[in-house]
mmCIF file of all heavy atoms in Angstrom:
data_model
loop_
_atom_site.group_PDB
_atom_site.id
_atom_site.type_symbol
_atom_site.label_atom_id
_atom_site.label_comp_id
_atom_site.label_asym_id
_atom_site.label_seq_id
_atom_site.Cartn_x
_atom_site.Cartn_y
_atom_site.Cartn_z
ATOM 1 N N VAL A 1 -59.017 30.516 -17.999
ATOM 2 C CA VAL A 1 -58.887 31.219 -16.709
ATOM 3 C C VAL A 1 -59.038 32.717 -16.981
ATOM 4 O O VAL A 1 -58.414 33.240 -17.885
ATOM 5 C CB VAL A 1 -57.508 30.915 -16.107
ATOM 6 C CG1 VAL A 1 -57.253 31.677 -14.866
ATOM 7 C CG2 VAL A 1 -57.352 29.465 -15.880
ATOM 8 N N PHE A 2 -59.942 33.380 -16.244
ATOM 9 C CA PHE A 2 -60.014 34.827 -16.257
ATOM 10 C C PHE A 2 -59.113 35.203 -15.071
ATOM 11 O O PHE A 2 -59.343 34.913 -13.997
ATOM 12 C CB PHE A 2 -61.441 35.249 -16.119
ATOM 13 C CG PHE A 2 -61.535 36.796 -16.153
ATOM 14 C CD1 PHE A 2 -61.333 37.516 -17.241
ATOM 15 C CD2 PHE A 2 -61.836 37.423 -14.893
ATOM 16 C CE1 PHE A 2 -61.453 38.823 -17.214
ATOM 17 C CE2 PHE A 2 -61.905 38.812 -14.865
ATOM 18 C CZ PHE A 2 -61.700 39.503 -16.012
ATOM 19 N N ASP A 3 -58.056 36.038 -15.386
ATOM 20 C CA ASP A 3 -57.067 36.381 -14.374
ATOM 21 C C ASP A 3 -57.332 37.796 -13.900
ATOM 22 O O ASP A 3 -56.575 38.369 -13.096
ATOM 23 C CB ASP A 3 -55.688 36.300 -14.952
ATOM 24 C CG ASP A 3 -55.411 37.329 -16.056
ATOM 25 O OD1 ASP A 3 -56.308 38.175 -16.417
ATOM 26 O OD2 ASP A 3 -54.282 37.182 -16.675
ATOM 27 N N GLY A 4 -58.535 38.365 -14.102
ATOM 28 C CA GLY A 4 -58.916 39.717 -13.571
ATOM 29 C C GLY A 4 -58.604 40.752 -14.698
ATOM 30 O O GLY A 4 -59.151 41.818 -14.539
ATOM 31 N N ARG A 5 -57.999 40.327 -15.693
ATOM 32 C CA ARG A 5 -57.664 41.338 -16.829
ATOM 33 C C ARG A 5 -58.171 40.751 -18.202
ATOM 34 O O ARG A 5 -58.673 41.439 -19.030
ATOM 35 C CB ARG A 5 -56.193 41.688 -16.926
ATOM 36 C CG ARG A 5 -55.824 42.614 -15.847
ATOM 37 C CD ARG A 5 -54.379 43.063 -16.106
ATOM 38 N NE ARG A 5 -53.716 42.848 -14.733
ATOM 39 C CZ ARG A 5 -52.478 42.968 -14.543
ATOM 40 N NH1 ARG A 5 -51.733 43.254 -15.523
ATOM 41 N NH2 ARG A 5 -51.903 42.775 -13.341
ATOM 42 N N GLU A 6 -57.793 39.458 -18.438
ATOM 43 C CA GLU A 6 -58.179 38.845 -19.693
ATOM 44 C C GLU A 6 -58.534 37.402 -19.436
ATOM 45 O O GLU A 6 -58.320 36.824 -18.530
ATOM 46 C CB GLU A 6 -56.905 38.910 -20.602
ATOM 47 C CG GLU A 6 -55.720 38.095 -20.126
ATOM 48 C CD GLU A 6 -54.462 38.226 -21.013
ATOM 49 O OE1 GLU A 6 -54.592 38.840 -22.045
ATOM 50 O OE2 GLU A 6 -53.501 37.692 -20.770
ATOM 51 N N LEU A 7 -59.267 36.820 -20.530
ATOM 52 C CA LEU A 7 -59.661 35.493 -20.557
ATOM 53 C C LEU A 7 -58.618 34.741 -21.305
ATOM 54 O O LEU A 7 -58.433 35.007 -22.524
ATOM 55 C CB LEU A 7 -61.064 35.407 -21.194
ATOM 56 C CG LEU A 7 -61.731 34.039 -21.247
ATOM 57 C CD1 LEU A 7 -61.939 33.488 -19.757
ATOM 58 C CD2 LEU A 7 -63.055 34.058 -21.911
ATOM 59 N N ARG A 8 -57.982 33.867 -20.709
ATOM 60 C CA ARG A 8 -56.929 33.106 -21.340
ATOM 61 C C ARG A 8 -57.440 31.879 -22.222
ATOM 62 O O ARG A 8 -58.469 31.473 -22.063
ATOM 63 C CB ARG A 8 -55.972 32.593 -20.367
ATOM 64 C CG ARG A 8 -55.297 33.732 -19.690
ATOM 65 C CD ARG A 8 -54.366 33.244 -18.568
ATOM 66 N NE ARG A 8 -53.813 34.383 -17.812
ATOM 67 C CZ ARG A 8 -52.523 34.597 -17.766
ATOM 68 N NH1 ARG A 8 -51.674 33.746 -18.250
ATOM 69 N NH2 ARG A 8 -52.079 35.592 -17.053
ATOM 70 N N ALA A 9 -56.603 31.495 -23.138
ATOM 71 C CA ALA A 9 -56.910 30.318 -23.956
ATOM 72 C C ALA A 9 -57.085 29.055 -23.146
ATOM 73 O O ALA A 9 -56.497 28.965 -22.024
ATOM 74 C CB ALA A 9 -55.832 30.138 -25.004
ATOM 75 N N PRO A 10 -57.784 28.087 -23.618
ATOM 76 C CA PRO A 10 -58.029 26.807 -22.872
ATOM 77 C C PRO A 10 -56.616 26.188 -22.486
ATOM 78 O O PRO A 10 -55.724 26.161 -23.334
ATOM 79 C CB PRO A 10 -58.702 25.927 -23.805
ATOM 80 C CG PRO A 10 -59.496 26.899 -24.622
ATOM 81 C CD PRO A 10 -58.622 28.016 -24.861
ATOM 82 N N ASP A 11 -56.453 25.799 -21.236
ATOM 83 C CA ASP A 11 -55.270 25.204 -20.722
ATOM 84 C C ASP A 11 -55.674 24.098 -19.644
ATOM 85 O O ASP A 11 -56.706 23.894 -19.399
ATOM 86 C CB ASP A 11 -54.442 26.346 -20.165
ATOM 87 C CG ASP A 11 -52.889 25.965 -20.094
ATOM 88 O OD1 ASP A 11 -52.570 24.813 -20.444
ATOM 89 O OD2 ASP A 11 -52.083 26.883 -19.788
ATOM 90 N N THR A 12 -54.560 23.747 -18.890
ATOM 91 C CA THR A 12 -54.709 22.874 -17.697
ATOM 92 C C THR A 12 -54.370 23.535 -16.407
ATOM 93 O O THR A 12 -53.344 24.320 -16.314
ATOM 94 C CB THR A 12 -53.849 21.607 -17.969
ATOM 95 O OG1 THR A 12 -54.287 20.892 -19.074
ATOM 96 C CG2 THR A 12 -54.021 20.707 -16.744
ATOM 97 N N VAL A 13 -55.227 23.437 -15.427
ATOM 98 C CA VAL A 13 -54.973 23.997 -14.128
ATOM 99 C C VAL A 13 -54.928 22.902 -13.097
ATOM 100 O O VAL A 13 -55.843 22.001 -13.127
ATOM 101 C CB VAL A 13 -55.976 24.986 -13.726
ATOM 102 C CG1 VAL A 13 -55.933 25.438 -12.331
ATOM 103 C CG2 VAL A 13 -56.016 26.217 -14.621
ATOM 104 N N VAL A 14 -53.941 22.735 -12.325
ATOM 105 C CA VAL A 14 -53.714 21.686 -11.396
ATOM 106 C C VAL A 14 -53.978 22.161 -9.936
ATOM 107 O O VAL A 14 -53.357 23.191 -9.532
ATOM 108 C CB VAL A 14 -52.376 21.005 -11.492
ATOM 109 C CG1 VAL A 14 -52.250 19.836 -10.374
ATOM 110 C CG2 VAL A 14 -52.165 20.492 -12.876
ATOM 111 N N ILE A 15 -54.897 21.468 -9.223
ATOM 112 C CA ILE A 15 -55.129 21.810 -7.833
ATOM 113 C C ILE A 15 -54.527 20.765 -6.888
ATOM 114 O O ILE A 15 -54.826 19.597 -7.111
ATOM 115 C CB ILE A 15 -56.696 22.032 -7.530
ATOM 116 C CG1 ILE A 15 -57.253 22.992 -8.528
ATOM 117 C CG2 ILE A 15 -56.933 22.203 -6.129
ATOM 118 C CD1 ILE A 15 -58.700 23.008 -8.577
ATOM 119 N N ASP A 16 -53.569 21.123 -6.105
ATOM 120 C CA ASP A 16 -52.928 20.111 -5.207
ATOM 121 C C ASP A 16 -53.066 20.720 -3.769
ATOM 122 O O ASP A 16 -52.210 21.569 -3.293
ATOM 123 C CB ASP A 16 -51.493 20.038 -5.633
ATOM 124 C CG ASP A 16 -50.749 19.057 -4.826
ATOM 125 O OD1 ASP A 16 -51.278 18.362 -4.065
ATOM 126 O OD2 ASP A 16 -49.451 18.951 -5.087
ATOM 127 N N GLY A 17 -54.046 20.323 -3.029
ATOM 128 C CA GLY A 17 -54.289 20.827 -1.716
ATOM 129 C C GLY A 17 -54.633 22.318 -1.867
ATOM 130 O O GLY A 17 -55.581 22.706 -2.473
ATOM 131 N N ASP A 18 -53.780 23.162 -1.109
ATOM 132 C CA ASP A 18 -54.049 24.502 -1.230
ATOM 133 C C ASP A 18 -53.165 25.262 -2.279
ATOM 134 O O ASP A 18 -52.947 26.501 -2.193
ATOM 135 C CB ASP A 18 -53.786 25.208 0.175
ATOM 136 C CG ASP A 18 -52.417 24.972 0.688
ATOM 137 O OD1 ASP A 18 -51.594 24.251 0.006
ATOM 138 O OD2 ASP A 18 -51.984 25.555 1.781
ATOM 139 N N ARG A 19 -52.669 24.517 -3.179
ATOM 140 C CA ARG A 19 -51.707 25.118 -4.244
ATOM 141 C C ARG A 19 -52.302 24.907 -5.558
ATOM 142 O O ARG A 19 -53.017 23.865 -5.854
ATOM 143 C CB ARG A 19 -50.379 24.342 -4.169
ATOM 144 C CG ARG A 19 -49.669 24.460 -2.844
ATOM 145 C CD ARG A 19 -48.311 24.924 -2.969
ATOM 146 N NE ARG A 19 -47.597 24.958 -1.632
ATOM 147 C CZ ARG A 19 -47.367 25.954 -1.020
ATOM 148 N NH1 ARG A 19 -47.643 27.158 -1.491
ATOM 149 N NH2 ARG A 19 -46.769 25.855 0.211
ATOM 150 N N ILE A 20 -52.120 25.823 -6.470
ATOM 151 C CA ILE A 20 -52.520 25.785 -7.798
ATOM 152 C C ILE A 20 -51.324 25.823 -8.798
ATOM 153 O O ILE A 20 -50.389 26.660 -8.464
ATOM 154 C CB ILE A 20 -53.489 26.981 -8.187
ATOM 155 C CG1 ILE A 20 -54.737 26.884 -7.256
ATOM 156 C CG2 ILE A 20 -53.839 27.029 -9.684
ATOM 157 C CD1 ILE A 20 -55.787 27.959 -7.447
ATOM 158 N N GLY A 21 -51.252 24.896 -9.718
ATOM 159 C CA GLY A 21 -50.084 24.898 -10.684
ATOM 160 C C GLY A 21 -50.448 24.453 -11.976
ATOM 161 O O GLY A 21 -51.634 24.396 -12.365
ATOM 162 N N THR A 22 -49.496 23.943 -12.759
ATOM 163 C CA THR A 22 -49.714 23.504 -14.106
ATOM 164 C C THR A 22 -49.177 22.142 -14.433
ATOM 165 O O THR A 22 -49.410 21.710 -15.578
ATOM 166 C CB THR A 22 -49.157 24.535 -15.177
ATOM 167 O OG1 THR A 22 -47.772 24.611 -14.822
ATOM 168 C CG2 THR A 22 -49.846 25.859 -15.007
ATOM 169 N N ASP A 23 -48.469 21.493 -13.560
ATOM 170 C CA ASP A 23 -47.835 20.188 -13.784
ATOM 171 C C ASP A 23 -48.916 19.098 -13.472
ATOM 172 O O ASP A 23 -49.169 18.720 -12.310
ATOM 173 C CB ASP A 23 -46.641 20.007 -12.975
ATOM 174 C CG ASP A 23 -45.991 18.571 -13.157
ATOM 175 O OD1 ASP A 23 -46.441 17.883 -14.105
ATOM 176 O OD2 ASP A 23 -45.062 18.330 -12.366
ATOM 177 N N PRO A 24 -49.445 18.452 -14.513
ATOM 178 C CA PRO A 24 -50.504 17.397 -14.283
ATOM 179 C C PRO A 24 -50.036 16.032 -13.948
ATOM 180 O O PRO A 24 -50.731 15.204 -13.741
ATOM 181 C CB PRO A 24 -51.338 17.397 -15.606
ATOM 182 C CG PRO A 24 -50.188 17.741 -16.614
ATOM 183 C CD PRO A 24 -49.267 18.672 -15.982
ATOM 184 N N SER A 25 -48.713 15.871 -13.880
ATOM 185 C CA SER A 25 -48.217 14.470 -13.557
ATOM 186 C C SER A 25 -48.742 13.893 -12.290
ATOM 187 O O SER A 25 -48.720 14.590 -11.260
ATOM 188 C CB SER A 25 -46.693 14.466 -13.571
ATOM 189 O OG SER A 25 -46.143 15.235 -12.619
ATOM 190 N N GLY A 26 -49.329 12.711 -12.337
ATOM 191 C CA GLY A 26 -49.922 12.111 -11.197
ATOM 192 C C GLY A 26 -51.295 12.539 -10.773
ATOM 193 O O GLY A 26 -51.785 12.048 -9.801
ATOM 194 N N ALA A 27 -51.751 13.530 -11.412
ATOM 195 C CA ALA A 27 -53.118 14.043 -11.004
ATOM 196 C C ALA A 27 -54.249 13.294 -11.685
ATOM 197 O O ALA A 27 -54.148 12.853 -12.849
ATOM 198 C CB ALA A 27 -53.199 15.612 -11.455
ATOM 199 N N ARG A 28 -55.409 13.334 -11.013
ATOM 200 C CA ARG A 28 -56.615 12.885 -11.629
ATOM 201 C C ARG A 28 -57.109 13.988 -12.678
ATOM 202 O O ARG A 28 -57.260 15.064 -12.169
ATOM 203 C CB ARG A 28 -57.692 12.629 -10.473
ATOM 204 C CG ARG A 28 -59.032 12.268 -11.024
ATOM 205 C CD ARG A 28 -60.004 12.064 -9.847
ATOM 206 N NE ARG A 28 -60.098 13.216 -9.005
ATOM 207 C CZ ARG A 28 -61.230 13.739 -8.484
ATOM 208 N NH1 ARG A 28 -62.274 12.988 -8.536
ATOM 209 N NH2 ARG A 28 -61.195 14.784 -7.713
ATOM 210 N N GLU A 29 -57.457 13.511 -13.902
ATOM 211 C CA GLU A 29 -57.845 14.510 -14.894
ATOM 212 C C GLU A 29 -59.375 14.599 -14.911
ATOM 213 O O GLU A 29 -60.128 13.660 -14.961
ATOM 214 C CB GLU A 29 -57.232 14.290 -16.173
ATOM 215 C CG GLU A 29 -55.757 14.394 -16.127
ATOM 216 C CD GLU A 29 -55.056 14.361 -17.567
ATOM 217 O OE1 GLU A 29 -55.815 14.454 -18.650
ATOM 218 O OE2 GLU A 29 -53.912 14.198 -17.712
ATOM 219 N N ILE A 30 -59.815 15.902 -15.041
ATOM 220 C CA ILE A 30 -61.215 16.181 -15.325
ATOM 221 C C ILE A 30 -61.263 17.066 -16.461
ATOM 222 O O ILE A 30 -60.659 18.199 -16.460
ATOM 223 C CB ILE A 30 -61.930 16.845 -14.039
ATOM 224 C CG1 ILE A 30 -61.815 15.799 -12.902
ATOM 225 C CG2 ILE A 30 -63.344 17.170 -14.351
ATOM 226 C CD1 ILE A 30 -62.359 16.361 -11.560
ATOM 227 N N ASP A 31 -62.032 16.767 -17.405
ATOM 228 C CA ASP A 31 -62.192 17.660 -18.659
ATOM 229 C C ASP A 31 -63.171 18.771 -18.298
ATOM 230 O O ASP A 31 -64.322 18.434 -17.998
ATOM 231 C CB ASP A 31 -62.748 16.906 -19.871
ATOM 232 C CG ASP A 31 -62.806 17.646 -21.141
ATOM 233 O OD1 ASP A 31 -62.553 18.950 -21.072
ATOM 234 O OD2 ASP A 31 -63.189 17.170 -22.121
ATOM 235 N N GLY A 32 -62.684 20.066 -18.305
ATOM 236 C CA GLY A 32 -63.513 21.180 -17.995
ATOM 237 C C GLY A 32 -64.392 21.569 -19.098
ATOM 238 O O GLY A 32 -65.294 22.512 -18.922
#
């Protein structure tokens, strides 16, 4: 994730409707 200042290390980003978070429980996973 590029947050506007730095490029972060590989991680998981969860999209839940109009919310973005980090808890992947119950989510469909896609390898980026």
Side-chain angles (χ1 to χ4, degrees):
V1 176
F2 179 70
D3 66 7
R5 290 184 225 174
E6 65 182 354
L7 185 61
R8 297 179 182 235
D11 203 353
T12 298
V13 174
V14 178
I15 302 167
D16 186 4
D18 62 352
R19 306 231 183 250
I20 296 175
T22 57
D23 178 10
S25 60
R28 174 179 60 141
E29 290 190 16
I30 298 173
D31 184 356

